Amino acid sequence: MAAAGAGAEGPGGALRGWVRDFVSGLQDGRAAEVAAGVKAGSWTILEIVEALGSCLENTEPRTRGRGLQLLSQVLLQCHSMLQEEEVTHLVLFYENRLKDHHLVIPAVLQGLYALSMCEVLAPGLAVSVLKAIFQEVHVQSLPQLDRHTVYSIITNFMRTREEELKGLGADFTFGFIQVMDGEKDPRNLLVAFQIVRDLILEGYVLGPFVEELFEVTSCYFPIDFTPPPNDPHCIQREDLIVSLRAVLASTPQFAEFLLPLLIEKMDSEMQSAKLDSLQTLGACCTIYGQKELQEFLPSLWSSLRREVFQTASEKVETEALAALHGLAACLSRSVLSSDTEDLLDSFLTGILQDCRHHLCEPDMKLVWPSAKLLQAAAGASFRAGHRITSSVVPLLLEQYNQHPQSSQRRTILEMLLGFLELQQKWGHEDEEESALLCSQAPLCSVLFSALTDPSVQLQLVGIRALTVLGTLPGLLAPPDVQLVVDHLTRLILHADDSQSCMAAMEAAGSLAPIYPGAFTGRMVQRLAEELQSEREEEGRRSAHSLRALAAVSTHPGIVQETVPVLLQCLQQVPKGNVPARACDVVAVCQSLQRVAVQCQRDAESCWYYHQTVVPCLLAVVVQAAMQENAHSPLGKLLLEEEVLTAMVPVVSAASAHLCPELAAQSVSQVVPLFLDGEVSFLPQDSFPCPFQPFQGGQHVAAQRRLVALLMAFVCSLPRNVPIPQQDRLLQELLALSCSCDCPFTATAAAKCFAGLVNKYPPGQQLDQLLETAVNRMEAGLAEGPLRTQALALLLWVTKALVLRYHPLSSRLTDKLLGLLGDAELGPAVADGFSLLMADSPDVLHKGCHADVRIMFRQRFFTDNVPKLVQGFHAAGPGVKANYLKGLSHVLNHLPRPVLVTELPTLLSLLLEALSCPDCVVQLSTLSCLQPLLLEAPHVMSLHVDTLVTKFLGLTSSPAMAIRIAALQCVHALTSLPIPALLPYKPRVIRALAKPLDDMKRLVRKEAVVARGEWFLLGSPGR
């Protein structure tokens, strides 16, 4: 009724009514309605002021305050609609009201804040407003929100009226100091610190108030703020620390006041104060010069030295070293004139004086702290590094020779290593001025002696140091390089410890690109000879030689020497020169694969490797297939599944990174080899019989096994490389995968078919090809001895289509879901869901350019898990386990965030899967549940009784892997809410006593950890 009455009086009557409602305190929402009226054009700001007339002139401060509050709230929403003349009148009005009663001030400030955002503010008004605030308002007596409003007004004007404010000169700085002085609220301090930083960085005049500005901000240093619990503003101590540090380290003008403060806080007992001071000093060093630091350098060095020599905190030591590095860098940047003292040189002289003698002490107590200080300073600049390194390295070399014990020598060598690594940073600046040149001979002598020392740990440090030295230009003479190579070769071949051997291989890989000639002429040759002479022993040195040849193949010239040596090892197997085992051939293939991966970085090396290795590899295995047909036992070795599986990644890595032109050239040779028996491109083209792996006959079974290498090649090519006779090849692969009685060959053909289908361009041809494949699969799955092969083809084709989101994938997936109820194939189908979801190592992954869409797992889960659940409920008792196994495989490969959101609907099935007798199901389900206990404790706690019972039962499983997984889940249960677990604590502790006596150490280890956590459950402080 009141609203209707107001409307009847017209817009003016409604406005006056709403003003009365607001001013009387009856309806605060009227301000929004009045603002909406202004936006709609129902009335103007002037009309609002007129409607407020009696309120604004009322003798009661509260009434005046409410009237101004209404006007200010309207201005906050409508300030962009104001004209310049209106803004001017309002500013003058509000300025005058700053002299009013203190109850009115908050509303006045709110109005001025709204006006400070007006783009049409006339020149001079910003200065006028701020002067009025500085003169009339005692800011620190205001509530927090009103103080924040003042800071916001200043911030707005600094952003939009910078030149006007700068015209105030130092008066503006002094006025702000008065505003900020005494501020305590962290919300306001963040804004105030930003204003101070802008004052300094934007070039406002500080005048005689530099010290006052420093005092008004530095009084908060160091920050000791602790946020209250459940703080809605989320202001952290670190926010204030970073903001204050930005102020203190913003100008060199603060140096004379700040540095004594930092020294005082560094000498305090509070670790937080030490850390904050050291970090602030480091920040200051980026803008200070030697003029600011000169007076305080002795005191700063004294404090920093003490923090490193006597520190009880690794954090404090790290920050002290960083601050020392910053000081030395700051002094290094200073430009010297003829009459200026070189402060860097005197500063470094003091550091050397205080630290050098500790390096010579017999007990070596302060050796490491001294070395850290010296290295921190040396790393600041080339000049600092040269000065310290040239003084310290000869001393360390002398100390190395004076200490006979390996442990002491190792410590000294680690320090030398630190200085060598610093030279890597500056070594490129001037080779002729390297600080290590004068110590080159004794340094090499020390490092060579470390490599011959019986101590493995000393050898390891020596190898690292020698590697760094070798990367520094000009420090290894040709004879020294040869010695380095010989030492590394000796360690690779004859080291008693595998650590030294592996370290030597790594060092060889790092140094070989720098000295390819030395490594080719000495190490590669020696390794090849060793392989030749030691092959009959089938020993460790042959394996080491193979790995070393791969490790050193990091330069194109070396690759051209090592690849023939490795291929020779393969070529000699079928010739019968030496007896060999499958593991020997696998070791050669692993080395070839590593070389292939290293060649991928260089296009020239990649093509050389491909055109050398792939034809040779094919020639060797084709020859072996011919020998196998002649019933040669040596031919069988290269055709074993283990060996062919090791060759697959070699061919794949050799082909995946070819450019399209070279890949097309290669594929035009390899595909005709398998389809037409075209062997002319192979190094050895005289074979006893035709190579026809896709033809029928009694003697082609061995040849068919080589389809695995065809798969590795064609499935690794980029998608834009055309494959000759692709449709014919696909038909042959399809037929082979469904008709071959050898599981290895059939699976290889199925994977090759699937890899090509995944990259096949969409269209009618693909649809026809898939329809043919589906018909063949359905016929093979219906009955007969080759159902397993048909299932393998179905799984791989389904995976190929699922990855690329092909519409037929849902039909094939439904076929798999239906087969879960098959008594014969059901378990294999369930395991196949793992194949569908997991990354395949040889085909259908991004490394071989497969079409893999993002989030394909999530899509598969959404489309098929409901069907799995439905099928489980409808299945008979004999096949329910298949559905559970399939479900657990899908969930195990699903991203955790997705799984957590679906957990409530699937948890009952997962719990049922724990009762399934199938060990694979149990293990997969436990692996799935363990992270969910940590990530979704509240959902899991609803089933705590069942979880405890199931997990404890599985701790007695016959399978060790299940016992371990169950104990890990029992441990993870402790992350659930404690009140839900406490009733089960005695029961779990009793049950975990049994696995403590398990016969397997790994089981006992998990039991100890889990039982300890349950013992502590509910303890104070947990």
Side-chain angles (χ1 to χ4, degrees), residues 279-517:
Q279 290 166 351
T280 303
L281 176 59
C284 291
C285 287
T286 60
I287 65 163
Y288 285 3
Q290 73 171 23
K291 181 181 72 172
E292 287 79 21
L293 294 173
Q294 182 170 8
E295 179 186 347
F296 305 99
L297 279 176
S299 299
L300 287 170
W301 163 240
S302 177
S303 297
L304 293 174
R305 179 186 59 201
R306 185 186 62 252
E307 295 306 330
V308 175
F309 279 165
Q310 303 174 12
T311 186
S313 165
E314 187 177 340
K315 286 183 181 179
V316 173
E317 179 189 278
T318 301
E319 294 300 337
L321 293 172
L324 178 60
H325 177 94
L327 282 174
C330 177
L331 296 175
S332 301
R333 288 192 302 269
S334 300
V335 179
L336 299 178
S337 58
S338 56
D339 58 345
T340 306
E341 180 189 356
D342 186 356
L343 278 184
L344 175 65
D345 187 67
S346 57
F347 183 60
L348 296 178
T349 299
I351 294 175
L352 285 166
Q353 231 171 8
D354 289 344
C355 295
R356 210 169 173 275
H357 65 278
H358 291 303
L359 303 178
C360 308
E361 293 174 353
D363 56 5
M364 301 182 73
K365 276 185 179 179
L366 294 176
V367 162
W368 264 121
S370 300
K372 288 177 181 179
L373 287 166
L374 290 165
Q375 288 170 7
S381 66
F382 174 75
R383 196 153 61 99
H386 188 281
R387 173 81 169 81
I388 291 179
T389 302
S390 58
S391 173
V392 172
V393 166
L395 180 64
L396 289 175
L397 293 172
E398 181 184 328
Q399 291 300 305
Y400 180 93
N401 293 319
Q402 289 180 3
H403 289 83
Q405 294 183 8
S406 295
S407 60
Q408 294 174 323
R409 287 189 161 190
R410 177 191 168 193
T411 299
I412 295 169
L413 201 55
E414 284 176 336
M415 288 186 285
L416 272 171
L417 174 60
F419 286 103
L420 290 175
E421 289 171 339
L422 288 176
Q423 288 298 304
Q424 277 185 314
K425 184 177 179 181
W426 308 113
H428 65 277
E429 296 211 357
D430 194 340
E431 294 177 26
E432 296 181 2
E433 289 188 18
S434 172
L436 297 173
L437 275 178
C438 59
S439 305
Q440 181 181 1
L443 183 58
C444 289
S445 174
V446 162
L447 296 181
F448 292 148
S449 73
L451 265 55
T452 57
D453 195 275
S455 168
V456 173
Q457 296 305 314
L458 183 56
Q459 285 181 15
L460 294 175
V461 181
I463 292 170
R464 286 166 54 203
L466 205 53
T467 305
V468 175
L469 184 66
T471 62
L472 296 174
L475 288 178
L476 282 183
D480 292 328
V481 173
Q482 293 178 358
L483 273 174
V484 169
V485 176
D486 291 344
H487 276 295
L488 294 177
T489 306
R490 175 184 57 78
L491 289 169
I492 289 169
L493 294 175
H494 305 293
D496 295 327
D497 187 87
S498 61
Q499 283 182 286
S500 297
C501 176
M502 297 307 295
M505 289 185 197
E506 188 177 344
S510 299
L511 295 175
I514 305 172
Y515 309 103

Side-chain angles (χ1 to χ4, degrees), residues 66-127:
R66 288 292 289 179
L68 278 167
Q69 185 180 352
L70 172 62
L71 180 59
S72 297
Q73 289 186 17
V74 171
L75 289 175
L76 281 170
Q77 298 186 50
C78 306
H79 61 84
S80 60
M81 302 172 63
L82 296 174
Q83 301 299 317
E84 182 176 336
E85 188 177 356
E86 292 177 311
V87 173
T88 302
H89 288 303
L90 285 168
V91 167
L92 296 175
F93 167 74
Y94 272 105
E95 282 183 16
N96 187 53
R97 291 294 173 151
L98 285 173
K99 303 172 183 177
D100 205 335
H101 194 277
H102 68 88
L103 291 176
V104 179
I105 298 302
V108 177
L109 292 173
Q110 198 175 30
L112 288 171
Y113 171 64
L115 294 170
S116 72
M117 294 186 284
C118 291
E119 295 181 5
V120 294
L121 194 72
L125 288 182
V127 171

Side-chain angles (χ1 to χ4, degrees), residues 136-187:
E136 304 296 342
V137 182
H138 184 251
V139 176
Q140 288 306 316
S141 65
L142 299 175
Q144 179 271 328
L145 185 59
D146 299 327
R147 301 199 306 274
H148 192 278
T149 302
V150 174
Y151 294 128
S152 300
I153 293 170
I154 296 172
T155 300
N156 287 342
F157 285 149
M158 288 180 70
R159 186 177 66 251
T160 61
R161 299 290 189 270
E162 179 179 329
E163 293 306 318
E164 292 182 35
L165 300 192
K166 287 182 177 178
L168 280 171
D171 290 345
F172 176 59
T173 303
F174 180 68
F176 176 73
I177 291 171
Q178 287 181 308
V179 167
M180 182 183 174
D181 192 12
E183 182 60 65
K184 294 181 180 178
D185 190 278
R187 292 164 288 182

Side-chain angles (χ1 to χ4, degrees), residues 819-823 825-827 830 868 878-887:
L819 287 172
L820 284 170
D822 187 288
L825 295 179
L868 271 171
V879 294
K880 277 187 179 290
N882 297 337
Y883 290 88
L884 289 175
K885 184 188 289 189
L887 177 66

